[in-house]
């Protein structure tokens, strides 16, 4: 399961994103990241794509995307 949280100010956006293995609920997050950058639509989109790429990398056994 993937989920996240976004906070924004006039100077910065911060996105916290996690990926958990729901078949192993006692384990730690597979991915836990914080993305920080300019509060613009292109930057937020870039962070979303980076997180999606990391998910695909984990699901594919670490093969590059």
């Amino acid at each position: 399961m993937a989920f996240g949280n976004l906070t924004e100010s006039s100077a910065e956006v911060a996105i916290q994103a996690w990926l958990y293995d729901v078949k192993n609920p006692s384990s730690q997050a597979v991915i836990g990241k914080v993305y920080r950058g300019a509060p613009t639509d292109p930057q937020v989109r870039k962070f979303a794509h980076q997180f999606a790429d990391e998910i695909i990398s984990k699901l594919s056994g670490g093969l590059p995307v």
Side-chain angles (χ1 to χ4, degrees), residues 23-46:
K23 290 188 176 185
N24 190 1
S26 63
S27 69
Q28 295 183 0
V30 176
I31 301 172
K33 288 278 200 161
V34 176
Y35 301 91
R36 295 182 187 278
T40 63
D41 287 344
Q43 184 64 63
V44 171
R45 182 178 171 87
K46 179 181 174 184

